Amino acid sequence: MSVPRLTVLGVRHHGPGSARAVRDELDRIRPDLVLVEGPPEADNLLALAADPGMRPPVALLAYVPGEPSRAAFWPFAEFSPEWQAIAYAARAGVEVRFCDLPAAHGLALGADPVRRDPIGELARAAGYDDPERWWEDLVEHRGEAGTLDVVAEAMRAVREGHAAEGVEARREAYMRRTVRKAAREGFARIAVVCGAWHLPALTPPALTLPALTLPALTLPALTLPALTPPTLTPPTPSPPGRRARGSGLTAGSGPEAPDGPGRPPSAAEDERLLRGLPKVRVEMTWVPWTHGRLAAGAGYGAGVAAPGWYEHLFTAPDRPVERWLARAAAILREEDLPVSSAHVIEAVRLAEGLAALRGRPLAGLSEVTEAVRAVLCDGDELPVELVQRRMVVGERLGRVPDATPMVPLRRDLRDEQRRLRMKPEAMAGEHDLDLRRPLDLGRSRLLHRLALLDVPWGTARRARSKGTFKESWSLEWRPELDVALIEAAVWGITVEAAAAARVRALAGGAGLPELAALVERCLLAHLPDALPYVLGRIEDRAALDGEVRHLMGALPALVRARRYGDVRGTEGLAGVTESMLARICAGLSPALTGLDEDAAREMAALMDGVHTAAGLMGSGRWLTTLAGIARRDDLPGLLDGRIVRILSDAEALEDDVAARMARSMSPGNPPARSAAWMEGFLSGGGLLLVHDTRLLATVDAWLTGLSPEAFVDVLPLLRRTFGAFPAPERRMIGGRVRSGSTLRSSAPGSSEAGGAEGADCDDGLAAGAVRTVREILGRETGGRP
C-alpha cells in the first residue's frame, strides 16, 4: 500500500487571491486526487466542467423531485478557488470528487443557524471596519506567495476554542470520512480544497490516517499584531455570519470536531455522528448563474459584494488599477460622456495617492471608485452608479453545455430560444415586438406561455407606439427561473403543452372574471387546445352566476377576445357576450341601490368597462338602460355624474347637460354629494370644461357659493378630480377661470349668456387663421379677413 500525502488548501469562497494560489499550488504538488467542497451527488457532472460550452459563472442545482421549492445552489465563478481546482483536474487528467455532506442529507436537515463571521472578526481584530478592505490588503494585494498559509494561520487563530455542532459538525465529519476513504483507495497524493474555516477540522490532530505521512508545514508569522492569539482570545461577539441558504458552501461559519477542541474525533466517532441522518431523493444539474447573484446582497450569503471587481483582479493581475479605470472610461464614453486619456491618467494618480495616504499596498475598490467619482464623473453620482452596475457587480450570465441534464421542459425552452433567436441575458433589456412579423409573433407567444407557467422571463410594458400589433417587453434571465421551470415541468414536456395544461387547471376553479381573463391570455399565447375548454367553463359559469358585478367584470375581456382575438375557437363568444349583456342590463338598476362610496367607485369602473364593450358590440341596449336609470333621484352622486357623462358623450341624454349639472350643484344638495357628482362626471377628462364655458361657469358658481366649512369638506374630492387631469388641461381651465368676464357672461341667469359662444372671440387674432383657410380653399381674400 502506497503512503498517501495529504495537502489541505483552505480558501475563501470566490476569492481571486485564493483561486490563483490554489491553481499554482496544485500545479506544484501535482496530486492524484482532488477533493472539493461540494455535494458528492454531482460527481458525475464534473466532467461537464471541461466542456467548451461551459462558461462560468454557473451553479450546481440540487432539488427534490416533486418538491422543486426545496432546492439549493452551489455557485462557481471563474475566480472561485473550487472552480480552479476542478479546472486543474480536467487539465491534468486526474480524478476530482466532491467531499461535502450529500445534498440528500443537507436538504433533509435544513439550514443550520450560523453564529460566526470569521472574516469580520479578523478584520475587526486588525482594526478594520470593512472586512472586504481587510481581505484585499491581507490577501488580494500580497501576491500569490504565502496566501494560503496566511489564511490558514488566521482561521486557526479564530477557531481556537470553538466546538462544532449541528449540521456543521456533520459536514466536517463527512469530509474526514471522504479523506479516509480516499487514503484507503491508494491515492499517493491527495489535495483537499475547502473553506478555510474547515481547515483545522481536516488537518492533524483533527484528522488522523493510518500510514499517512504529512510534509512539514511551515507558516510565515503574520506581521499584524492584531491577529495574534492573545488579541483574539476570548473571541468577541459578532453578528451572524453569512452563508448560502441550504447550500454546501459557507463563508464565515463552522464548528470544530463534535467532541470539542481537546481531543480529535476518531473515525468511529465520525461514523456514529453520521449514522441515521434523514435523507431525501435529490436530482442535480448545472444551471447558468450571474455575477449579480454572487453579490452578498443578492440573497447568496457566501458571495462577495463586488464580483466584477474580483473577476478583474483574477483576470488582470498586472496593472489592475490602470486597466480598471480604462474600462470605466470606455463605459462612460459609450454613454457620450467626455472622458479623455488625460482623465484616466489623473484618476490613476488619485487612486494611487489615496492608497499611499491610507497605508494600503495597492489601490483597492474604494480608491478606484473615489477616483472615478472625482475625476471621470466630476462628482456626478449617476454615472458612478452606471460604473458600479456594469463593472463592480457586473451582470455576466454563464452558460452550460448542451449535454447538461435538463428536464424536458427546460430543453424545449432552450430549443425555442434558439429558433426564435432570443438569447437569455442577465441585464434587463427593452424589446419592441411587431406582431405582423412571424418571428416577433412567435416571440410574443413564447413569453405569454411562460407567463402562464409563472416563469416571468419577460415583463410586459406599455407599447411605445399605438396599435394592437405592437408589444413591448423587458427581458431579464435570472437563475431562479431554472427552478421555476422545474416546478412547471409537471404540466408538460413542451412549453406549449405545459401552458395549455396549466390553463385548464386554472380554469377548473376560476370565477367568471378570471375565466374571461384566461380567454385573452389563451389568445395571446396561441393555445387553441385549451381555449375551447375555457369557453365551455365560461358558458357554464355565466348560466349559473347571477351576480351582476361578476358579469360586468367578465364582459370586457370576452368582447375584446371576440373583436380582436383569433377567430379560431371563438365563434361561441358572440352568443355568450350577447346573453351576458342582456343580463347586465336587466340587473343593473337594482345593483345600484344602497352602495357606499367604495362600492360606488368600483361600480363606476365596471360601468366604464361595460360601456366600452357595448360600443364594440354595436349594441344600443346599454345606452337605453342607462337613460332609464338616469331618471332616478336616489343614485349615489358618483354614479349619477358618471351616467350623465356617458349619455352626454353618446348624445343620448334626454335633457340638457348644463341643466343636469346645475341641479346637482344646487344648494339643496349636500356639498359632498355635489363633489362626488362632479368627480363622476369629469372622470372622462377635463376638456369638456375647456370647450363648454356654461359648464365651467356652473362649477365656478357652485364653488364660490360654498361656505368655508363646506369647501374644506369637499376639497379632497376636488383635488382628486382635478388632479387626475393632464397638466395642459389644468392650465387651460385655469386660463378660463382667470378670464372672469367669460364666466360671468356664461353664468346661469346672466343677460349675456345667450352670446357666450362668441363672447371670447378676438377677430384680430382669428384673422390670420381665416386668411390661411381661404387661401387653402382657393378664395380671394380681397384684403379682408
Side-chain angles (χ1 to χ4, degrees), residues 5-11 22 25-26 29 31-38 81-82 85 95-100 148 172 174-180 182-183 189-196 198-199 201-203 207 209 212 214:
R5 178 180 178 183
L6 177 66
T7 304
V8 182
L9 306 177
V11 300
V22 164
E25 187 68 9
L26 292 177
I29 64 177
D32 302 315
L33 173 66
V34 179
L35 299 177
V36 178
E37 183 180 332
E82 297 87 352
E95 187 171 353
V96 58
R97 303 174 186 170
F98 286 116
C99 63
D100 204 349
L148 297 176
E172 292 177 348
Y174 195 91
M175 291 181 190
R176 289 190 291 267
R177 173 203 274 181
T178 305
V179 174
R180 295 187 186 105
R189 295 180 299 276
I190 303 172
V192 181
V193 179
C194 64
H198 304 298
L199 185 143
L202 301 180
T203 54
L207 176 64
L209 295 175
L212 181 64
L214 288 171

Side-chain angles (χ1 to χ4, degrees), residues 110-411:
D112 196 33
V114 181
R115 296 176 299 277
R116 302 291 294 273
D117 177 12
I119 299 296
E121 290 184 27
L122 290 169
R124 286 190 295 273
Y128 283 74
D129 57 359
D130 183 1
E132 297 295 330
R133 183 179 172 188
W134 173 82
W135 180 261
E136 284 188 1
D137 288 352
L138 185 71
V139 177
E140 305 303 337
H141 297 164
R142 287 173 65 104
E144 290 79 2
T147 296
L148 297 176
D149 294 339
V150 169
V151 175
E153 180 77 6
M155 288 302 165
R156 284 193 176 93
V158 80
R159 269 197 70 152
E160 185 176 350
H162 184 74
E165 59 184 22
V167 175
E168 287 294 337
R170 291 174 171 85
R171 290 180 59 199
E172 292 177 348
Y174 195 91
M175 291 181 190
R176 289 190 291 267
R177 173 203 274 181
T178 305
V179 174
R180 295 187 186 105
K181 178 183 177 183
R184 289 194 301 269
E185 291 177 3
F187 288 98
R189 295 180 299 276
I190 303 172
V192 181
V193 179
C194 64
W197 178 261
H198 304 298
L199 185 143
L202 301 180
T203 54
L207 176 64
T208 56
L209 295 175
L212 181 64
T213 302
L214 288 171
L217 179 63
T218 59
L219 298 175
L222 291 179
T223 58
L224 293 175
L227 294 179
T228 57
T231 306
L232 293 174
T233 306
T236 58
S238 62
R242 303 173 298 174
R243 84 171 195 174
R245 181 176 56 189
S247 79
L249 296 179
T250 64
S253 172
E256 204 173 284
D259 296 282
R263 182 174 62 85
S266 64
E269 290 169 336
D270 283 343
E271 293 300 324
R272 282 196 299 271
L273 187 62
L274 296 172
R275 189 177 301 129
L277 290 180
K279 186 177 182 179
V280 293
R281 177 172 168 263
V282 300
E283 294 186 8
M284 299 205 68
T285 185
W286 288 106
V287 296
W289 204 252
T290 67
H291 276 176
R293 297 300 296 170
L294 281 173
Y300 172 61
V304 289
W309 170 251
Y310 274 9
E311 181 193 40
H312 175 76
L313 292 179
F314 181 77
T315 57
D318 60 316
R319 307 181 71 84
V321 175
E322 292 85 346
R323 295 179 185 274
W324 178 268
L325 292 172
R327 284 181 53 201
I331 289 176
L332 295 174
R333 290 190 196 106
E334 291 175 0
E335 301 298 324
D336 295 329
L337 295 176
V339 180
S340 66
S341 300
H343 285 91
V344 177
I345 295 172
E346 189 60 31
V348 171
R349 290 175 178 171
L350 177 58
E352 293 176 345
L354 289 173
L357 288 173
R358 295 167 180 174
R360 307 193 67 181
L362 186 70
L365 180 58
S366 59
E367 284 76 26
V368 296
T369 301
E370 291 179 40
V372 168
R373 178 182 292 107
V375 180
L376 303 186
C377 301
D378 292 328
D380 188 353
E381 286 297 327
L382 189 60
V384 175
E385 292 177 5
L386 174 66
V387 174
Q388 292 280 114
R389 185 174 65 254
R390 297 273 296 274
M391 293 182 62
V392 177
V393 175
E395 285 299 336
R396 173 175 295 183
L397 178 65
R399 185 178 65 233
V400 298
D402 294 342
T404 303
M406 299 179 185
V407 294
L409 182 63
R410 179 69 178 90
R411 193 172 295 278

Side-chain angles (χ1 to χ4, degrees), residues 596-597 600-601 604 607-608 626 629-649 653-666 668-685 688-689 692 694-700 702-703 706 713-714 716-718 720-722 725:
D596 59 15
E597 181 181 353
R601 185 163 284 105
M607 289 172 56
D608 286 341
L626 291 183
I629 294 174
R631 302 187 188 100
R632 292 174 49 177
D633 56 4
D634 62 338
L635 293 175
L638 181 71
L639 294 179
D640 191 12
R642 192 73 203 114
I643 291 173
V644 170
R645 177 62 182 272
I646 291 175
L647 293 173
S648 173
D649 290 346
L653 191 64
E654 295 178 355
D655 49 3
D656 183 61
V657 64
R660 292 294 298 262
M661 175 178 282
R663 289 199 299 268
S664 299
M665 301 289 107
S666 65
N669 290 313
R673 187 190 187 281
S674 299
W677 192 96
M678 188 184 305
E679 180 183 0
F681 182 81
L682 296 178
S683 62
L688 188 63
L689 295 181
D692 194 330
R694 295 177 62 197
L695 296 182
L696 183 58
T698 302
V699 174
D700 182 71
W702 172 72
L703 278 175
L706 290 175
D713 290 339
V714 302
L717 288 176
L718 296 176
R720 181 167 57 195
T721 301
F722 286 89
F725 297 163

